[in-house]
Every structure is written in structure tokens, then in C-alpha cells.
Amino acid sequence: MRLLIVGSLNGYVSAAAKIAINHGAKVSHVPEIDAGLESLRSGKGADLIMVDLKLDIVKFITALKNERIATPVVACGVNPDPDRAAEAIHAGAKEYITLPPDPELIAAVLQAVTRDDLHVIHNDLKTKQILTFAARIAPSEANILITGESGTGKEIMAHFIHQQSKRSERPFISLNCAAIPENLLESELFGHEKGSFTGAIARRIGKFEEASGGTLLLDEITEMHPRLQAKLLRAVQERIIDRVGGTTPIRIDIRIIATSNRNMLEAVKAQEFREDLYFRLNVVNIHMPSLRERPGDIEPLTNYFIQKYCELNQVATKKISSAALKCLHANDWPGNVRELENSIHRAVLMAQDDTIIPEDIFGINGPAQIDTSGSAPILVGRKVSEVERELILHTLDHCLGNRTHAANILGISIRTLRNKLKEYLDPNVSSSQL
Ligand SMILES: Nc1ncnc2c1ncn2[C@@H]1O[C@H](COP(=O)(O)OP(=O)(O)OP(=O)(O)O)[C@@H](O)[C@H]1O
Ligand SMILES: [Mg+2]
């Protein structure tokens, strides 16, 4: 995880950097917007940018847009001028952070774009076999396709392979093909030359070159536009890329790992994904089974997540009751490990004492699961806004008023949460006005 800080943050640069470094980030700092743009173009890369609200953030974000650089931006300021903060968010900043930097808030923002901890926790025989296989093929140069349902740990497996490979000292760069619009994605992957499109005022190095000597993870590859698939095929086949608008082909030295949570063969059949590219990427296939198919992983994962979230939330460690463990085994986990992780996070915050009981885990999802009599939740006939309000207030309650935690659990930004709360306090104001 690489964080770029732009501006002086009112003298809080080292405080913010320290917090980020403690969370495993590599931090670089530039004083001005132009230097920030220069750094991003040069291929040094960043996964997140924190920008001083005193600088012209709108100009900065507009430049990023024009130059097709898709790195998320967070605005930082002291005692904010609400208009400027709103302006920054409007321009496309993802979040607003007040200074002095709050460690918790920074951790939450970093966590949203990164993963700090990469152990593949397991105990199921199936997972063991997969890891043994992955470790065996990791040192080879073969391209790898990792498939599996959402939340099964495809990304964590890609990291594992990189770490076990001969390239482990070199960069691991990942790119989510589904999250970036097509015209940005091309620039993001291959970079571009000055003048190649309106807005390309300077050369920009793309992920392929950034990952040089290392591993490039192309996440959710099935979502890539067919036109880009053709370009990717060339890169994969010939190990050569062209920057957008470039005339000199550039030799690349990377290993490609791609992931997909769709059935790739079906995508090929439906002519959404090129068959030749599929075969090139699928030199080795690793399929991550759903959590249901590897029940032996549930207990170690649960204990691991309990410890992780107790530490993160600075609460004394807890244990899981045998009844709760039974419920975890009986559950279907359509969202797989990610869903288990979120449920345990919530349970850690909900638990009233040092033991996690079934209600702590399943309670907030709806009365049906709290209600052991098995009757259906009475949601039909109620307004979405009403249920939403109840959910938000209830979650906040259980987080002892901690908005960062509540927003994390609810899966919304801290800003959205704040706006909703304002709206509840003053029903005359709608959240879109805030
Ligand atoms: N074996 C594991 N040990 C520890 N954490 C895990 C494990 N598997 C998954 N996780 C955690 O579960 C979450 C989802 O994992 P990951 O992002 O790798 O899944 P994914 O298959 O890439 O999901 P998606 O298809 O939605 O992108 C992450 O927070 C990850 O850290
Ligand atoms: Mg993923």
C-alpha cells in the first residue's frame, strides 16, 4: 500500500505518515500539486492520495481525470470551510479527514483501499492442498487464473503466490478491472504519451511498467472491455506493450495473475471474453472453493478474525461460544470469507462480555435470526427509509457512538453516515443538501 501526501497538512504530515506507516503503508510526500502529478505520472504509483484542503484540490482532481489517473483522493483540512470540503467531495474526493489526523479514521480510510494482513488462515484439507499446489507453481513464470465465488480469498491467494515467487522482492501491483471505466483502464494499464488525448499533458507510466520485475494482478478480468482484451492479449503473448499514443513498443517483465468470480468458460461462450486470452491466462488455474465446501476453515478463521478485530477496536480478547460456533457451521455464507469476517467484526462489537453468543453474530441482520422461534421478520409494509434509520441508529448504538466503526460495518462512508444522522436530527434537511 503506497500513500502519497500532497501539501503540508498544517504541519501534520509526519503525524499522518506515522499512522499510515504503522498500518504497513509506504508513504511519500510532495509539497505541491504539480509535484504530486509528476510523481504519479512517473510510475512511482500510489494507492491513495491525501491532499491538503488548502491546495487547489478541484484543480488536482480535474488534472487526474484529464490525465486518466484513477487513484482515489482524500481531502484533509483543519476546521474545515464546509464549502471547500463539499467542493472537494463534489469534484470527486472520496472522503474528508479533519486534522489533526485521527488514527482511527486514517486506519479506516487505508483499510478501505488496502489490505494489511495477508495470512492465508486455514485448516481444511482442501485449502491445504490448494496452498501446497500454489506454493509449488509460484516460482514458475506461468500466468495464473484464480477463480471462485466472491469473497473466497482470490486476492489473498494472489498475494500468497507473489510472496512465494522469485519476484517477491519486486512490486506487487493490482488493478481492479471492474472498478475503472474503459477509457481510464487503458491508460492505467499501459500508460500514455504526452499529447495522446486531450488532457495528456505529460507522459504517464502505467501499471504494466510499474510492476516491472514483479507481479501484476488483474482483478475481475472478465469485466474488461473486448477492445482492451485484444491489447492485453498482445501484452501477455509477446510481453510487449504500447503506451496509449506511443510509437515505440516497450518490453515488459511481469508475471500476470488474473482473477474472476464468473464462470470464464461461459463468458467465452457468450463471446464476452476472448478465448485466446482465456487460454493464455489460464496456464494454471486455481479454484478457491466456497466456504461451505471447506468447513474446516471456519473455526480458525473465526478465531483469527476475533483476535484481529479485538485488537483493532482495542477491546479485551473474546472467545466464541460453542452454540455460536455451531451456528457459524450451519450458515450458508453466500459471501464466503468476507461475509464471515464482517459478521465476526460486528459480533466483537456487539458482545456484552467476553463470550460471543449467536445473537451477537446474527442479531443485526434482522429479527428473524435473533428470534429463535423462527417467525419471519416484520419488514414487509415498512418504508426503506424507516428500516434504514433503525439499522443505522442501532449499529451506532452498538458501536458506542463510534462513527468510524459504524460506517465500516454499514458499508457506507463516514460522510454518508454523518449526513444521515444530520438528517435524522433535522428532518427538514435532506441528506442530498448536506
Ligand atoms: N484464508 C484467509 N485467511 C484470512 N483472511 C481471508 C482468507 N480468505 C479471505 N480472507 C479475507 O476475506 C476478505 C475477502 O478476501 P479476498 O478479497 O481475497 O476475496 P476475493 O475472492 O478476491 O473476493 P471478490 O471476488 O469479492 O473480489 C478479505 O478481507 C480477506 O482478507
Ligand atoms: Mg477480489
Side-chain angles (χ1 to χ4, degrees):
M1 156 78 194
R2 299 151 307 164
L3 171 69
L4 173 65
I5 300 177
V6 184
S8 69
L9 308 188
N10 277 76
Y12 290 115
V13 171
S14 51
K18 212 164 146 194
I19 299 167
I21 289 166
N22 284 341
H23 284 86
K26 286 193 187 114
V27 180
S28 46
H29 174 231
V30 292
E32 284 294 340
I33 278 173
D34 287 341
L37 290 170
E38 202 40 60
S39 162
L40 292 164
R41 288 174 193 136
S42 72
K44 285 202 196 96
D47 303 300
L48 182 72
I49 314 170
M50 281 169 72
V51 185
D52 195 325
L53 198 62
K54 285 204 301 290
L55 299 175
D56 193 344
I57 294 198
V58 176
K59 179 183 152 200
F60 183 62
I61 294 178
T62 310
L64 292 182
K65 276 187 191 150
N66 287 343
E67 297 193 41
R68 302 185 186 170
I69 298 174
T71 316
V73 171
V74 220
C76 305
V78 187
N79 259 346
D81 171 349
D83 289 344
R84 297 220 46 197
E87 201 178 60
I89 298 285
H90 226 87
K94 293 275 176 280
E95 191 65 73
Y96 176 75
I97 292 184
T98 45
L99 298 170
D102 169 8
E104 211 172 62
L105 195 52
I106 292 197
V109 171
L110 289 174
Q111 225 188 7
V113 289
T114 190
R115 40 198 348 135
D116 40 8
D117 111 59
L118 297 164
H119 300 290
V120 188
I121 306 296
H122 68 285
N123 195 32
D124 198 284
L125 188 62
K126 240 191 180 126
T127 319
K128 270 187 193 153
Q129 286 167 343
I130 293 169
L131 282 169
T132 310
F133 175 70
R136 210 171 65 224
I137 49 99
S140 80
E141 290 290 293
N143 294 332
I144 297 175
L145 179 67
I146 306 176
T147 50
E149 285 178 19
S150 179
T152 45
K154 296 184 290 297
E155 231 172 304
I156 217 168
M157 177 56 80
H159 275 275
F160 173 80
I161 293 168
H162 174 71
Q163 280 163 358
Q164 301 286 316
S165 77
K166 292 179 193 136
R167 297 170 171 266
S168 60
E169 297 298 313
R170 306 288 304 159
F172 177 90
I173 304 285
S174 66
L175 190 64
N176 188 329
C177 304
I180 301 174
E182 190 218 340
N183 63 334
L184 292 187
L185 188 56
E186 180 170 6
S187 218
E188 203 66 31
L189 280 170
F190 304 112
H192 60 246
E193 292 293 346
K194 184 174 172 175
S196 53
F197 52 86
T198 331
I201 53 164
R203 167 184 289 169
R204 188 249 170 129
I205 301 297
K207 301 279 185 200
F208 268 94
E209 288 179 78
E210 224 176 89
S212 186
T215 306
L216 179 65
L217 170 63
L218 297 175
D219 223 352
E220 306 199 36
I221 189 90
T222 352
E223 306 310 313
M224 188 180 277
H225 192 277
R227 197 178 63 82
L228 275 185
Q229 290 178 24
K231 294 204 162 194
L232 179 61
L233 180 68
R234 171 157 187 249
V236 175
Q237 243 169 1
E238 299 170 31
R239 305 268 144 195
I240 281 175
I241 60 153
D242 289 309
R243 296 192 190 121
V244 177
T247 46
T248 329
I250 293 157
R251 195 152 280 288
I252 46 160
D253 167 27
I254 53 166
R255 196 236 203 117
I256 294 178
I257 304 182
T259 76
S260 172
N261 56 23
R262 286 182 57 191
N263 183 325
M264 296 275 294
L265 278 173
E266 266 170 27
V268 169
K269 247 191 231 148
Q271 302 200 321
E272 288 161 9
F273 201 78
R274 290 181 71 115
E275 189 175 28
D276 42 11
L277 180 57
Y278 169 70
F279 285 118
R280 284 285 173 177
L281 293 173
N282 195 23
V283 177
V284 175
N285 175 229
I286 293 181
H287 182 73
M288 297 302 291
S290 68
L291 190 55
R292 305 178 287 288
E293 295 167 272
R294 42 181 168 125
D297 288 344
I298 291 179
E299 190 171 350
L301 280 168
T302 300
N303 289 328
Y304 172 73
F305 292 138
I306 292 176
Q307 198 182 340
K308 173 174 167 181
Y309 288 105
C310 283
E311 271 170 30
L312 198 76
N313 294 296
Q314 295 167 340
V315 295
T317 190
K318 297 181 189 296
K319 56 182 186 299
I320 185 118
S321 70
S322 53
L325 197 57
K326 241 191 205 148
C327 291
L328 292 177
H329 276 101
N331 199 39
D332 242 8
W333 301 116
N336 296 293
V337 184
R338 179 178 295 110
E339 189 187 0
L340 175 68
E341 178 168 1
N342 289 342
S343 302
I344 297 299
H345 187 177
R346 199 158 50 216
V348 160
L349 299 170
M350 301 278 268
Q352 303 290 325
D353 52 36
D354 65 353
T355 304
I356 293 173
I357 55 174
E359 286 77 1
D360 297 330
I361 303 170
F362 296 106
I364 210 160
N365 281 343
Q369 281 152 318
I370 303 178
D371 185 354
T372 44
S373 70
S375 60
I378 311 160
L379 291 172
V380 179
R382 297 182 60 195
K383 285 196 188 130
V384 171
S385 58
E386 230 175 70
V387 176
E388 180 190 85
R389 179 192 167 123
E390 222 165 88
L391 174 67
I392 288 178
L393 294 178
H394 195 79
T395 308
L396 198 64
D397 229 22
H398 278 278
C399 295
L400 307 172
N402 184 321
R403 293 181 182 195
T404 312
H405 292 160
N408 259 342
I409 291 172
L410 291 161
I412 58 179
S413 77
I414 297 154
R415 196 172 53 88
T416 305
L417 176 61
R418 203 179 48 208
N419 289 349
K420 295 272 181 203
L421 293 171
K422 271 196 203 157
E423 194 182 326
Y424 301 153
L425 292 172
D426 181 1
N428 297 323
V429 186
S430 89
S431 59
S432 58
Q433 284 175 278
L434 295 159

